[in-house]
Amino acid sequence: GRGLLVSGMERWVLVVKRARRLRKAGGKVVLRMLERAKSEALLGWRCNANEQARLRHLKVKVLARLGSVLLVTGMERWRGVVEEAVEDREWRGGGGKRTL
């Protein structure tokens, strides 16, 4: 009877040690998985930040171009109105004091 009890106890100790070893190894695997996930998340964040910066730069360029086009268009329209006013004045004989 005692031999079985000792051998059963030794077996239990071995099983517990093995379980602890596996848990420790499993913990390392889980830690590696978490580190990799954090690394991938950081890489994804960096890529997204770079893409957002690129898009912001493009938006600024597009808005600047659009602003200059609208400014030029407005100036052209204003110049056309002034030219028409000058031609109209000249056609009417346009003497006297100039208001434009």
Side-chain angles (χ1 to χ4, degrees), residues 20-88:
R20 285 182 182 164
R21 231 182 11 255
L22 288 174
R23 196 173 319 135
K24 196 173 188 180
K28 287 180 182 179
V29 168
V30 169
L31 282 177
R32 265 190 252 130
M33 288 170 58
L34 289 174
E35 287 298 320
R36 183 173 179 159
K38 285 193 300 186
S39 176
E40 287 174 357
L42 181 60
L43 180 62
W45 178 83
R46 281 182 177 166
C47 288
N48 184 49
N50 288 337
E51 180 66 12
Q52 291 302 317
R54 187 183 75 80
L55 290 175
R56 193 169 25 257
H57 177 73
L58 286 175
K59 288 176 192 175
V60 167
K61 287 179 74 170
V62 165
L63 288 174
R65 176 73 59 104
L66 182 61
S68 69
V69 166
L70 290 175
L71 180 64
V72 167
T73 303
M75 294 298 282
E76 288 293 321
R77 201 174 289 149
W78 178 77
R79 190 170 60 105
V81 168
V82 170
E83 286 176 354
E84 284 180 24
V86 169
E87 288 173 5
D88 188 42

